[in-house]
Amino acid sequence: MTPSTMSAQAAERPKHGTITSVRGSVVDARFEDCLPPIYSLLYAGNEPRVSIEVLMQLDGDHVRGVALNPTQGLARGMVVEDTGGPLKVPVGKGILSRMFDVFGNAIDRQPPPSDVEWRTIHRDPPSLVSRSTRSEVFETGIKVIDVLVPLERGGKAGLFGGAGVGKTVLLTEMIHNMVGHQKGISMFCGIGERCREGEELYHDMKEAGVLPHMVMMFGQMNEPPGARFRVGLAALTMAEYFRDDEHRDVLLLIDNIFRFIQAGMEVSGLMGQMPSRLGYQPTMGTELSGLEERIANTDAGAITSIQAVYVPADDLTDPAAVHTFSHLSASIVLSRKRASEGLYPAIDLLQSNSKMATPTIIGERHYLLAQSIRKTLAQYEELKDIIAMLGMEQLSPEDRNVVGRARRLERFLTQPFFATEQFSGIKGKDVSLEDAIDGCERILKDEFKDYPESAFYMIGTIDEAEAKAAGPAGPADPGPKPKVQVEPQTNGKPKPKVEQGTNSH
């Protein structure tokens, strides 16, 4: 059959069908003679119309789809209209500084964007021939990430953490620094997140002056699973336009990729598929790959993605976390323990890793420094039990030096964020990779052995530690507090004993 014959048949096929059943978000419809293909978009009901995406052809006459809006008002026997194509979103220069929903409607109380083209959200990943094979580092201006977990330009990095450990704050900081460093476009995609976060992010970006280089898309928590399931693909279509047509670098921030998997799980359950392990959909790997493989570095430009990954019950062996790990070039694990100690960004320095941290990519000096930092922190981790039981006094002089270095490094790798200035009252800092490496090297050489640990807390470059140690105290360092231990009774009276530094973090 020739393409012209196929298109003629598509033009002749009946554009209208009839709803045969409505079960929650699942809608079955009957079409005479010619069925709409998978992923076709159907409209039903009066204004506002209900959009239905076809996901299954049941037989020669019936299709089953999932509604992307609430289905109140739909009933059996209602007419359903086939749009003749899949879900589409607007692309073009007109979408910059705007906020959209999954249908491409502007939700920022401004008129619809002009000078745009509408493209399908279901697109193939770039071919292997067009992909770039060079490995380049993507600088963020955040010390701990640039030194220990370097990100890849055109790669995918995951932010793993439970609720409330700072995933969204870290993403917001990345957007702020992207405009300063890369002069690229930032695309923020909120999948199943709180509407409050979207509102706050929009106003924060507007005040920071980075909105003209940004596009936002949201599928909120209260929306049906079909809409949350497709919002990631819709945002990716917009990002691909800037990469392929405008030849610009794009930073795609997804908050939260777990909600994408969760929406797919809900859709799978609604469609009647047999659940897999822990209730996840059997097609989770395929659906996640369909999204992740489109994020790539090509000859035209690069889409660098940073994805927040909610980890259920902080369990990194959960199937959602495991499947996401396999796609990433860097994993940034956020630690609730570090957050409780006030060490922000609360990144677990030993569990986080990056495939870019090799001598051939980041250079011999940077690689050896990162290994030395990890070794120092690992030794400190091993000594923590001894310190907790016996105190610092029982350590050898060499071990005490290791602990001092590790604690100064931990504090030097904290950083005040532009995104949190209004809450902390501390001005945000953007630190270059060279300054961050220089500071870590000097701490490891014991140049600051006599400086108080608090001098390294919440600073930018290492020069600030010198100024802070000499001048008035800055923000309080959440260091160890003296621990009072009561010795066995002597002469009938307990004798309190104060030990410094035994309550280690």
Side-chain angles (χ1 to χ4, degrees):
M1 190 183 291
T2 63
S4 56
T5 315
M6 289 171 68
S7 58
Q9 280 197 359
E12 289 167 14
R13 86 172 183 234
K15 290 287 183 184
H16 296 89
T18 311
I19 293 177
T20 56
S21 78
V22 181
R23 297 185 310 283
S25 291
V26 178
V27 180
D28 290 359
R30 184 174 188 273
F31 284 82
E32 299 286 343
D33 303 326
C34 192
L35 285 183
I38 302 291
Y39 299 144
S40 291
L41 190 66
L42 314 177
Y43 286 140
N46 302 318
E47 292 295 332
R49 295 182 300 180
V50 177
S51 303
I52 302 158
E53 188 177 53
V54 175
L55 292 183
M56 197 182 288
Q57 294 178 336
L58 300 175
D59 54 36
D61 295 326
H62 294 84
V63 293
R64 177 169 291 167
V66 167
L68 306 182
N69 329 71
T71 53
Q72 286 91 337
L74 287 192
R76 289 175 65 183
M78 278 182 132
V79 172
V80 61
E81 176 194 347
D82 177 12
T83 61
L87 180 63
K88 294 180 179 177
V89 290
V91 298
K93 290 183 178 175
I95 67 173
L96 283 171
S97 79
R98 304 299 302 273
M99 197 190 312
F100 299 93
D101 64 10
V102 69
F103 304 105
N105 302 321
I107 54 173
D108 51 8
R109 301 195 190 100
Q110 293 181 38
S114 57
D115 188 27
V116 293
E117 172 194 341
W118 290 77
R119 288 188 187 171
T120 171
I121 67 166
H122 299 283
R123 298 164 62 84
D124 292 328
S127 64
L128 290 175
V129 177
S130 66
R131 290 181 185 237
S132 171
T133 53
R134 282 190 306 155
S135 293
E136 297 175 56
V137 172
F138 178 88
E139 267 195 53
T140 63
I142 298 170
K143 289 182 286 191
V144 62
I145 293 177
D146 289 344
V147 173
L148 288 177
V149 200
L151 305 186
E152 180 183 6
R153 178 178 175 267
K156 297 175 272 281
L159 279 177
F160 291 83
V165 291
K167 296 186 296 295
T168 304
V169 171
L170 201 49
L171 286 185
T172 311
E173 187 71 6
M174 299 262 194
I175 295 171
H176 185 281
N177 293 358
M178 168 70 175
V179 176
H181 279 267
Q182 314 292 337
K183 305 288 186 282
I185 300 290
S186 292
M187 176 86 218
F188 186 91
C189 173
I191 306 178
E193 289 297 301
R194 304 164 189 82
C195 58
R196 168 184 61 78
E197 291 178 350
E199 177 80 4
E200 287 175 0
L201 183 68
Y202 180 79
H203 289 297
D204 289 349
M205 294 299 108
K206 199 170 184 177
E207 285 172 20
V210 300
L211 204 57
H213 305 279
M214 222 183 142
V215 187
M216 296 188 205
M217 178 166 276
F218 285 94
Q220 290 165 211
M221 257 182 185
N222 63 322
E223 293 186 26
R228 285 182 274 124
F229 191 41
R230 292 301 182 217
V231 72
L233 299 180
L236 198 43
T237 301
M238 291 179 171
E240 285 170 337
Y241 162 79
F242 289 109
R243 178 191 67 191
D244 301 335
D245 295 34
E246 299 271 328
H247 303 303
R248 298 181 73 173
D249 282 3
V250 184
L251 177 63
L252 173 65
L253 299 122
I254 302 177
D255 188 11
N256 183 307
I257 204 74
F258 174 78
R259 306 288 177 210
F260 169 78
I261 294 171
Q262 197 175 41
M265 179 164 62
E266 291 179 49
V267 168
S268 172
L270 289 167
M271 298 300 288
Q273 292 180 327
M274 184 72 76
S276 180
R277 185 171 157 233
L278 296 186
Y280 287 104
Q281 65 271 40
T283 52
M284 176 168 63
T286 309
E287 289 163 2
L288 190 60
S289 301
L291 177 79
E292 299 281 10
E293 285 302 301
R294 287 169 62 180
I295 300 168
N297 184 0
T298 68
D299 298 332
I303 297 177
T304 303
S305 174
I306 300 169
Q307 307 165 9
V309 187
Y310 167 70
V311 181
D314 292 343
D315 176 18
L316 289 172
T317 62
D318 187 88
V322 170
H323 275 265
T324 309
F325 262 124
S326 62
H327 291 280
L328 304 175
S329 54
S331 302
I332 301 169
V333 180
L334 297 177
S335 156
R336 196 174 299 282
K337 185 168 177 291
R338 282 179 67 82
S340 68
E341 292 168 7
L343 299 173
Y344 289 104
I347 294 172
D348 189 317
L349 306 175
L350 294 175
Q351 277 200 299
S352 304
N353 60 73
S354 169
K355 292 175 184 171
M356 300 294 285
T358 61
T360 51
I361 297 172
I362 60 175
E364 195 78 27
R365 177 194 175 204
H366 185 173
Y367 172 75
L368 291 174
L369 173 72
Q371 293 299 94
S372 182
I373 292 171
R374 286 183 188 278
K375 182 182 174 184
T376 305
L377 294 170
Q379 286 175 312
Y380 175 41
E381 200 65 33
E382 288 171 8
L383 293 169
K384 277 184 179 178
D385 288 341
I386 300 171
I387 298 168
M389 287 187 290
L390 304 172
M392 285 278 284
E393 292 78 11
Q394 302 303 316
L395 297 181
S396 67
E398 188 162 333
D399 283 347
R400 280 191 221 174
N401 285 340
V402 167
V403 171
R405 278 183 222 124
R407 290 178 63 82
R408 284 175 178 81
L409 278 171
E410 279 186 337
R411 278 147 185 75
F412 177 64
L413 292 174
T414 61
Q415 190 167 337
F417 281 175
F418 294 97
T420 57
E421 274 181 16
Q422 55 183 331
F423 307 113
S424 64
I426 311 169
K427 188 167 173 52
K429 301 281 167 62
D430 183 346
V431 184
S432 71
L433 176 61
E434 189 55 42
D435 286 341
I437 288 176
D438 178 56
C440 291
E441 275 183 342
R442 290 173 69 185
I443 290 172
L444 286 171
K445 287 176 185 170
D446 285 341
E447 273 189 42
F448 304 97
K449 192 175 178 181
D450 301 324
Y451 281 56
E453 289 171 5
S454 58
F456 300 88
Y457 181 64
M458 284 294 170
I459 60 170
T461 61
I462 197 71
D463 299 337
E464 292 176 39
E466 298 173 334
K468 203 167 160 187
D477 171 27
K481 294 179 175 55
K483 183 176 175 184
V484 176
Q485 292 183 342
V486 177
E487 287 188 344
Q489 295 208 352
T490 40
N491 300 328
K493 292 181 182 177
K495 178 184 173 187
K497 178 185 176 186
V498 178
E499 285 190 350
Q500 294 284 347
T502 55
N503 182 17
S504 74
H505 293 310

